[in-house]
Amino acid sequence: MHTKTMEGLIGARTNMEMLNTPFRVFKEARRKGDTAMMERAMGYMGDFHEDAYEYKEVADEGMKKDVEETRKIAEEQREEMIQNRRDEREEQQKKLEEERKENKGDKIVDTVEISEDGKVLLKGNTQTAAPDADGTDVETDESPKPKADLEPVFYSSAGEVKQPEDTGVKVSASV
């Protein structure tokens, strides 16, 4: 909070509280019929009232400065965040370029690993089971060719099936 705001709020509140004393004197003078005392009390009340409004204006100026400072700080933070994002993006671009330079002469290899659950499922898919009379599964001798023994199939960018060529590219897939 800006100092002018604090000064204005405290001054306005103090002057509004100080109005109570001359107002009480005014009431007492009115009860007694003393017009001179009533006029003096009204003078004091007017002074305190004017001072309270002057402090209100000081508080308003302070609040305007608070808003300006807050906007300035928010703008600086936005600028800083934008700059940080730009720096991060540049660092990522540099890392990507370095990785590309490192792998320029090498063949890029992608690997996929098969989890233990996947291995169990794969093993289950290569064997067929038929339930016997009591409902338990029994392996049959007529099992189809296991899926794991099939030849790999490669697809072109157009989606056509291509036979693997011996180009020296290594493909490793694990599930």
Side-chain angles (χ1 to χ4, degrees):
M1 183 179 279
H2 199 270
T3 56
K4 280 192 170 186
T5 305
M6 290 188 300
E7 178 186 346
L9 292 174
I10 292 169
R13 180 172 184 237
T14 303
N15 280 293
M16 291 303 288
E17 288 176 356
M18 290 176 72
L19 274 173
N20 292 335
T21 304
F23 190 65
R24 191 177 42 223
V25 170
F26 174 81
K27 284 183 180 180
E28 188 176 321
R30 187 178 66 187
R31 195 169 37 97
K32 291 180 181 179
D34 188 357
T35 56
M37 187 183 285
M38 287 172 54
E39 287 178 9
R40 276 195 313 266
M42 284 298 291
Y44 286 124
M45 286 174 51
D47 291 342
F48 288 135
H49 190 262
E50 288 175 13
D51 289 346
Y53 274 99
E54 288 175 9
Y55 278 112
K56 178 193 173 294
E57 291 173 4
V58 170
D60 288 343
E61 289 176 20
M63 287 191 284
K64 286 179 184 177
K65 288 186 179 185
D66 279 343
V67 169
E68 290 173 7
E69 289 175 4
T70 303
R71 284 183 184 159
K72 186 177 179 180
I73 290 170
E75 183 65 29
E76 289 172 358
Q77 288 175 344
R78 269 194 297 270
E79 296 279 333
E80 186 177 329
M81 287 174 56
I82 290 170
Q83 187 61 38
N84 288 341
R85 288 183 186 150
R86 286 181 184 153
D87 294 342
E88 289 174 4
R89 194 175 310 127
E90 288 175 6
E91 288 176 20
Q92 288 176 346
Q93 289 289 5
K94 288 178 184 178
K95 287 180 183 178
L96 286 173
E97 289 175 10
E98 289 175 7
E99 288 178 9
R100 288 180 186 154
K101 288 178 183 177
E102 290 175 4
N103 294 331
K104 193 172 187 178
D106 300 338
K107 301 287 182 182
I108 298 175
V109 178
D110 290 333
T111 59
V112 179
E113 295 183 21
I114 301 175
S115 67
E116 293 301 319
D117 293 337
K119 290 177 184 177
V120 170
L121 288 172
L122 180 63
K123 186 175 182 180
N125 285 340
T126 58
Q127 300 173 353
T128 59
D132 64 359
D134 65 351
T136 59
D137 290 342
V138 176
E139 288 189 25
T140 61
D141 291 336
E142 302 171 3
S143 63
K145 186 175 182 181
K147 293 181 182 178
D149 294 340
L150 295 175
E151 290 293 322
V153 177
F154 294 95
Y155 293 92
S156 68
S157 60
E160 299 171 351
V161 176
K162 286 188 166 184
Q163 293 299 323
E165 300 172 1
D166 192 16
T167 59
V169 175
K170 181 181 175 184
V171 176
S172 173
S174 302
V175 179

